[in-house]
Amino acid sequence: MYIDDQLRERAKKAIEKKGAIGPDVNLHEFDDAPVSHPYMADEDLCAMPGEEQKQLIMAGLDVTKKERGGTYFQKDTEVIHCHSQQDGIEVIPIRKALEHHDWIRDYYWKLAAVDADKYTAAAELGLHDGYVIRSLPGSKSIYPIQACLYLDKDGIQQNVHNIIIAEEDSELHIITGCATSPHLKRGVHVGISEFYVKKNAKLTFTMIHNWAEDMMVRPRSVAQVEEGGLFLNNYICMKPVRSLQMYPTTHLIGKDAVARFYSIIVGSPGSEYDVGGRIFLKHPGNRAEIVSRVISNGGNIIARGHLIGEVPDIKAHLECRGLLLNGGFIHAIPELEAHVDGVEMSHEAAVGKIAPEEIAYLMSRGLTEDEATSTIVRGFLNVDIPGLPPQLKAEIDRVIEESDKDVM
Amino acid sequence: MLQIEDLQVKIGDKEILKHIDLEIHPGETHILFGPNGSGKTSLLMTIMGYPQYKITAGKIIFKGEDITDLPIDERAQLGIGMSFQRPPTINGLKTRQMVQLCAKDEVDEETLAKKVNFEGFLDRDVNAGFSGGEIKRSELLQLLAQNPDLMLFDEPESGVDMENISLVGKTIASLLQKGFLDAETKPKIQTKRDRTKMGLIITHTGFILDYVAADKGQVLYDGMLSCVSNPHEILNCVGESGYEECVRCISTIN
């Protein structure tokens, strides 16, 4: 308990500490009191109202659990479903893990700092729950594990802490979504995630956000990848949100470790996004890539990327493309840091409107101007993600397809 | 039929096409010659409907309809298609998808791609990193799917390697129903009657004449169509004495 006390002490000191970047959220305006919801069996999940199911589907959660290896479903502050269908893959609510498993202490707050800002502090002091997903050594996930953090109660503050561990030589695929119920207008989501990709393990983590117009979102994520490991992190957000700020960081701590970040963001009017990724390359043979595609329909988007090469024989690339469709604002901030000779680091950033010659070209093949525009936008959002299982690729394509009408 | 009457075109303030008159009848293919900067590409782009080419006078009539003010897509719908010299890259759009977009009905893109030796490129983004010759084959593939009635080719041979050049030539000929081989299999008169496609081809080398039975050659010089003649004759004349001399000579005769 000494460790817990220490964490709490540090958290208390940071409770009013503003985030390093991004607009400040006054957490006092939100209610973080527990909201109880009954646990749902499989048949209850399937009996949810169609409209809610649709919201969930848009965040990657399929209540039928078809082609899913396991499910974690949290509504407001309560875990309402948690189950693994696959041997070698554990899905446990984090509070339960903290109560029953000592090993979780080796991971809890070991990458993210509890006193980083008021959001990390809130997640410690007012932890609701969160998931621990672990693939045991050598196990391979056949179907992805799905995790959903759902907000139902208007005005709520949801504090979540997730820990994802891919043990040595294992392969783990996770699709995780955040969604809000159709009647929720306002809320704040605080989500801490710590990722451990061990020796020669492969972790793909695909996060789909499906927020409401007045949501404030403050994820705080840190990952570490050991020798020969691969961390593939995809992020998709195509729905409005009041303010979203995150800057997930990854440390490559063994040779030949690889991290790739792909993000697709569509910013609607009234929405503010400050999203980036930071990867430290600390060992020879490390590879890192940050690719983002952002579209502003009138929203404000800051797209950051920061690659830090600390040793020779590393390779890193940053690519940020932005498209302004209906005004709005895009600020691309790509940063490269080379600390020694012998690093290979590059970036390309391009922000602008759709090139008229591309539209004209498609029109010359018989497409109307609108069809041409939407074809180009869809192509723009169609990022090739090497190493992503086809099923998850299909999931991403579906989300993009569904949101296409909103984009136009 | 394509009819161009006294067409004058500007880009910005610069007059680039002057008093162009041109008729292409169904079944006819014309070759467009002219030195660099004479306005050849501008003429094709104007027919296709690119808005930066401002028509200040004259008309373009296609299939009896005045298309002078029609946008690009409506011209394409009416049956005009173009093979571009330097088309833009469309990121994220696969060549395979592009072929389907070009076709009004479902087509088998693999079969079409085989015709221009392009199967290996179907899953690449349209024009992304394509070499000059690959672009030409990609353009041909799209035209095969689109199957327009009037086809405008902007230097379809430039950059195409030796291995593919005859493939490109033959494909253009078959698109335009102008192959020498077709002519042999059916009675000549029948073949002629069956031809409905129209073509306008820009070429510098004349290579296309080895494959396409072109009807007329046109020389565009300084924004004006300065001579109409047998395409082989024009090619020879230009080759021997250059455009300036060639245009002067023919104008004198006329």
Short mmCIF file of all heavy atoms in Angstrom, two decimals, chain B residues 77-100:
data_model
loop_
_atom_site.label_atom_id
_atom_site.label_comp_id
_atom_site.label_asym_id
_atom_site.label_seq_id
_atom_site.Cartn_x
_atom_site.Cartn_y
_atom_site.Cartn_z
N GLN B 77 -19.35 12.93 -70.74
CA GLN B 77 -20.59 12.15 -70.83
C GLN B 77 -21.08 12.04 -72.27
O GLN B 77 -21.65 11.03 -72.67
CB GLN B 77 -21.70 12.77 -69.97
CG GLN B 77 -21.43 12.80 -68.47
CD GLN B 77 -21.44 11.42 -67.82
OE1 GLN B 77 -21.72 10.43 -68.48
NE2 GLN B 77 -21.07 11.35 -66.54
N LEU B 78 -20.83 13.11 -73.03
CA LEU B 78 -21.26 13.10 -74.43
C LEU B 78 -20.35 12.22 -75.30
O LEU B 78 -20.67 11.94 -76.45
CB LEU B 78 -21.21 14.53 -74.99
CG LEU B 78 -22.45 15.39 -74.87
CD1 LEU B 78 -22.18 16.76 -75.46
CD2 LEU B 78 -23.65 14.76 -75.60
N GLY B 79 -19.21 11.83 -74.76
CA GLY B 79 -18.37 10.91 -75.53
C GLY B 79 -17.02 11.48 -75.94
O GLY B 79 -16.43 11.02 -76.92
N ILE B 80 -16.52 12.48 -75.20
CA ILE B 80 -15.18 12.97 -75.49
C ILE B 80 -14.23 12.46 -74.41
O ILE B 80 -14.55 12.49 -73.23
CB ILE B 80 -15.14 14.52 -75.52
CG1 ILE B 80 -16.13 15.04 -76.57
CG2 ILE B 80 -13.72 15.03 -75.82
CD1 ILE B 80 -16.19 16.56 -76.69
N GLY B 81 -13.09 11.96 -74.84
CA GLY B 81 -12.12 11.47 -73.87
C GLY B 81 -10.72 11.89 -74.27
O GLY B 81 -10.46 12.19 -75.43
N MET B 82 -9.83 11.93 -73.29
CA MET B 82 -8.49 12.42 -73.60
C MET B 82 -7.42 11.60 -72.92
O MET B 82 -7.57 11.16 -71.79
CB MET B 82 -8.40 13.90 -73.16
CG MET B 82 -7.04 14.52 -73.39
SD MET B 82 -7.16 16.32 -73.49
CE MET B 82 -5.39 16.74 -73.48
N SER B 83 -6.33 11.41 -73.64
CA SER B 83 -5.13 10.81 -73.06
C SER B 83 -4.16 11.95 -72.80
O SER B 83 -3.69 12.61 -73.72
CB SER B 83 -4.54 9.81 -74.05
OG SER B 83 -3.20 9.54 -73.73
N PHE B 84 -3.90 12.18 -71.51
CA PHE B 84 -3.13 13.37 -71.14
C PHE B 84 -1.63 13.12 -71.19
O PHE B 84 -1.17 11.99 -71.01
CB PHE B 84 -3.50 13.83 -69.72
CG PHE B 84 -4.91 14.34 -69.61
CD1 PHE B 84 -5.97 13.46 -69.39
CD2 PHE B 84 -5.19 15.69 -69.75
CE1 PHE B 84 -7.27 13.93 -69.31
CE2 PHE B 84 -6.49 16.17 -69.65
CZ PHE B 84 -7.54 15.28 -69.44
N GLN B 85 -0.93 14.19 -71.41
CA GLN B 85 0.52 14.15 -71.45
C GLN B 85 1.10 14.00 -70.05
O GLN B 85 1.94 13.15 -69.80
CB GLN B 85 1.00 15.44 -72.14
CG GLN B 85 2.46 15.73 -72.05
CD GLN B 85 3.22 14.99 -73.14
OE1 GLN B 85 3.29 13.77 -73.15
NE2 GLN B 85 3.78 15.73 -74.06
N ARG B 86 0.66 14.85 -69.14
CA ARG B 86 1.15 14.78 -67.75
C ARG B 86 0.00 14.89 -66.76
O ARG B 86 -0.22 15.93 -66.15
CB ARG B 86 2.15 15.92 -67.50
CG ARG B 86 3.58 15.56 -67.85
CD ARG B 86 4.52 16.71 -67.58
NE ARG B 86 4.30 17.80 -68.52
CZ ARG B 86 4.91 17.88 -69.70
NH1 ARG B 86 5.77 16.97 -70.06
NH2 ARG B 86 4.65 18.88 -70.52
N PRO B 87 -0.75 13.82 -66.61
CA PRO B 87 -1.90 13.87 -65.70
C PRO B 87 -1.44 13.90 -64.24
O PRO B 87 -0.34 13.46 -63.93
CB PRO B 87 -2.64 12.56 -66.00
CG PRO B 87 -1.57 11.64 -66.49
CD PRO B 87 -0.58 12.50 -67.21
N PRO B 88 -2.30 14.43 -63.35
CA PRO B 88 -1.90 14.50 -61.93
C PRO B 88 -1.99 13.13 -61.25
O PRO B 88 -2.69 12.24 -61.72
CB PRO B 88 -2.94 15.44 -61.32
CG PRO B 88 -4.14 15.28 -62.19
CD PRO B 88 -3.64 15.00 -63.57
N THR B 89 -1.26 12.99 -60.16
CA THR B 89 -1.36 11.80 -59.31
C THR B 89 -2.59 11.92 -58.43
O THR B 89 -2.88 13.00 -57.93
CB THR B 89 -0.11 11.71 -58.41
OG1 THR B 89 1.03 11.57 -59.25
CG2 THR B 89 -0.18 10.54 -57.46
N ILE B 90 -3.34 10.85 -58.31
CA ILE B 90 -4.45 10.86 -57.35
C ILE B 90 -4.08 9.90 -56.22
O ILE B 90 -4.17 8.69 -56.37
CB ILE B 90 -5.79 10.40 -57.99
CG1 ILE B 90 -6.04 11.10 -59.32
CG2 ILE B 90 -6.94 10.60 -57.00
CD1 ILE B 90 -6.54 12.51 -59.24
N ASN B 91 -3.63 10.45 -55.12
CA ASN B 91 -3.18 9.63 -54.01
C ASN B 91 -4.34 8.85 -53.40
O ASN B 91 -5.41 9.37 -53.19
CB ASN B 91 -2.53 10.50 -52.92
CG ASN B 91 -1.16 10.96 -53.33
OD1 ASN B 91 -0.31 10.16 -53.74
ND2 ASN B 91 -0.94 12.26 -53.27
N GLY B 92 -4.06 7.57 -53.14
CA GLY B 92 -5.04 6.74 -52.46
C GLY B 92 -6.09 6.15 -53.38
O GLY B 92 -6.86 5.29 -52.97
N LEU B 93 -6.13 6.59 -54.63
CA LEU B 93 -7.08 6.01 -55.58
C LEU B 93 -6.30 5.00 -56.43
O LEU B 93 -5.35 5.36 -57.13
CB LEU B 93 -7.70 7.10 -56.46
CG LEU B 93 -8.71 6.61 -57.51
CD1 LEU B 93 -9.97 6.04 -56.85
CD2 LEU B 93 -9.10 7.74 -58.47
N LYS B 94 -6.70 3.75 -56.34
CA LYS B 94 -6.00 2.71 -57.08
C LYS B 94 -6.37 2.77 -58.56
O LYS B 94 -7.51 3.09 -58.91
CB LYS B 94 -6.35 1.32 -56.52
CG LYS B 94 -6.07 1.16 -55.03
CD LYS B 94 -4.58 1.26 -54.72
CE LYS B 94 -4.33 1.35 -53.22
NZ LYS B 94 -3.11 2.08 -52.91
N THR B 95 -5.41 2.42 -59.39
CA THR B 95 -5.65 2.40 -60.83
C THR B 95 -6.85 1.51 -61.16
O THR B 95 -7.69 1.83 -62.00
CB THR B 95 -4.39 1.91 -61.56
OG1 THR B 95 -3.32 2.80 -61.21
CG2 THR B 95 -4.58 1.90 -63.06
N ARG B 96 -6.94 0.41 -60.41
CA ARG B 96 -8.08 -0.51 -60.58
C ARG B 96 -9.42 0.22 -60.38
O ARG B 96 -10.35 0.07 -61.17
CB ARG B 96 -7.93 -1.62 -59.54
CG ARG B 96 -8.94 -2.73 -59.58
CD ARG B 96 -8.73 -3.66 -58.38
NE ARG B 96 -7.43 -4.32 -58.35
CZ ARG B 96 -7.11 -5.36 -59.11
NH1 ARG B 96 -7.98 -5.84 -59.98
NH2 ARG B 96 -5.93 -5.92 -59.02
N GLN B 97 -9.49 1.04 -59.33
CA GLN B 97 -10.73 1.78 -59.05
C GLN B 97 -10.98 2.82 -60.14
O GLN B 97 -12.10 3.06 -60.55
CB GLN B 97 -10.63 2.48 -57.70
CG GLN B 97 -10.52 1.54 -56.51
CD GLN B 97 -10.13 2.29 -55.23
OE1 GLN B 97 -9.07 2.90 -55.15
NE2 GLN B 97 -10.99 2.25 -54.24
N MET B 98 -9.89 3.44 -60.58
CA MET B 98 -10.00 4.47 -61.61
C MET B 98 -10.60 3.87 -62.89
O MET B 98 -11.46 4.48 -63.53
CB MET B 98 -8.61 5.05 -61.89
CG MET B 98 -8.59 6.17 -62.90
SD MET B 98 -9.43 7.65 -62.29
CE MET B 98 -8.78 8.91 -63.39
N VAL B 99 -10.16 2.66 -63.24
CA VAL B 99 -10.67 2.01 -64.44
C VAL B 99 -12.19 1.81 -64.31
O VAL B 99 -12.95 2.07 -65.25
CB VAL B 99 -9.94 0.66 -64.68
CG1 VAL B 99 -10.60 -0.12 -65.80
CG2 VAL B 99 -8.47 0.91 -64.98
N GLN B 100 -12.62 1.40 -63.11
CA GLN B 100 -14.06 1.21 -62.90
C GLN B 100 -14.81 2.54 -62.99
O GLN B 100 -15.93 2.60 -63.51
CB GLN B 100 -14.35 0.56 -61.54
CG GLN B 100 -13.91 -0.90 -61.43
CD GLN B 100 -14.62 -1.83 -62.42
OE1 GLN B 100 -15.66 -1.48 -62.97
NE2 GLN B 100 -14.02 -2.99 -62.67
#
